[in-house]
Amino acid sequence: MERILVKSGWGGIYTERITIAPAHLDLELLALTASQAASSRRLLTALAGVVDDFDLVVIDTPPNLLSHLIDNAWTAADLLWVPVEPEYDAVEAAKRVQQRVQEDRDVLNPDLQVGGFVINRFRSSLNLHNKRAEEVGTIIGPDAVCPVRFPELVVLKNGSEYAQPMSELGSEGRAMAALGADAYAWMRKRSDMLMGGAA
């Protein structure tokens, strides 16, 4: 794992604080080896001895519930943070994530738990979005829902498209970065609570 780690290309404080292990589309081919013994523990094994150098390790995955990549990520993770759009299908998918964690925890990772849900693409003016946000709070409990709601803004797409930090994308970007900082503070506090201060 150490040989593929690279510093963030954003420069400044980002390069100082962020290290990345870039993914590759060929990782999908690992699914062909899913039947091999301990194949779902590959990422956990690769991270051993590396994660101790970091305060926080984030494993970003595609929004799939059943895949070999998900099995690897969940086996290596302590907490899952689930982004949820305030729409029926997305809320139902979030429920299935919690259900699978409960059902497969003993197979993949007995310590795994859903840390919480982060609502994105939220429009406070829509009653339906407010209703769905409340429904997310019934999956585990309202305390498991991040109080920060991320609105649907073009700046988010621009940040992803141009690979730039939110803080450098004008006033909307800075506002989104501030929301991100608030959400991160909530996640760290909840992590400490769930993991007994070990996060």
Side-chain angles (χ1 to χ4, degrees):
M1 175 67 77
E2 289 178 307
R3 63 187 173 83
I4 68 169
L5 296 178
V6 296
K7 290 290 186 180
S8 167
W10 286 344
I13 194 172
Y14 303 106
T15 298
E16 294 173 14
R17 296 186 179 181
I18 301 175
T19 302
I20 302 167
H24 194 279
L25 290 174
D26 286 349
L27 286 173
E28 290 285 355
L29 298 176
L30 287 176
L32 299 175
T33 64
S35 61
Q36 296 178 5
S39 62
S40 65
R41 299 179 63 84
R42 282 196 177 103
L43 181 57
L44 178 65
T45 302
L47 290 173
V50 177
V51 296
D52 294 339
D53 295 333
F54 299 92
D55 296 326
L56 176 70
V57 176
V58 177
I59 304 170
D60 189 20
T61 65
N64 299 329
L65 186 59
L66 299 171
S67 76
H68 189 54
L69 290 179
I70 292 295
D71 289 353
N72 265 270
W74 288 17
T75 299
D78 297 310
L79 297 171
L80 299 182
W81 300 102
V82 185
V84 186
E85 293 182 26
E87 302 288 349
Y88 176 81
D89 288 341
V91 174
E92 289 301 305
K95 292 176 183 177
R96 289 195 292 273
V97 169
Q98 170 65 5
Q99 182 180 8
R100 188 179 179 217
V101 168
Q102 295 296 322
E103 292 176 351
D104 292 351
R105 175 182 285 152
D106 291 339
V107 177
L108 294 175
N109 181 351
D111 297 323
L112 183 66
Q113 57 185 317
V114 173
F117 303 93
V118 180
I119 296 176
N120 63 3
R121 305 185 76 174
F122 180 73
R123 291 187 233 173
S124 59
S125 61
L126 294 181
N127 288 333
L128 180 61
H129 277 201
N130 287 288
K131 179 181 177 181
R132 294 299 179 208
E134 290 181 8
E135 189 177 346
V136 174
T138 67
I139 299 174
I140 297 176
D143 290 345
V145 182
C146 180
V148 178
R149 307 284 193 259
F150 288 89
E152 183 175 17
L153 292 177
V154 173
V155 69
L156 274 176
K157 296 177 181 178
N158 288 343
S160 176
E161 178 70 22
Y162 301 118
Q164 291 182 311
M166 289 288 105
S167 59
E168 297 181 13
L169 293 173
S171 59
E172 278 194 349
R174 288 189 293 274
M176 192 64 71
L179 289 178
D182 290 344
Y184 174 73
W186 175 84
M187 293 166 76
R188 291 295 292 193
K189 183 177 181 180
R190 184 161 171 82
S191 295
D192 287 343
M193 185 271 291
L194 292 172
M195 300 179 65

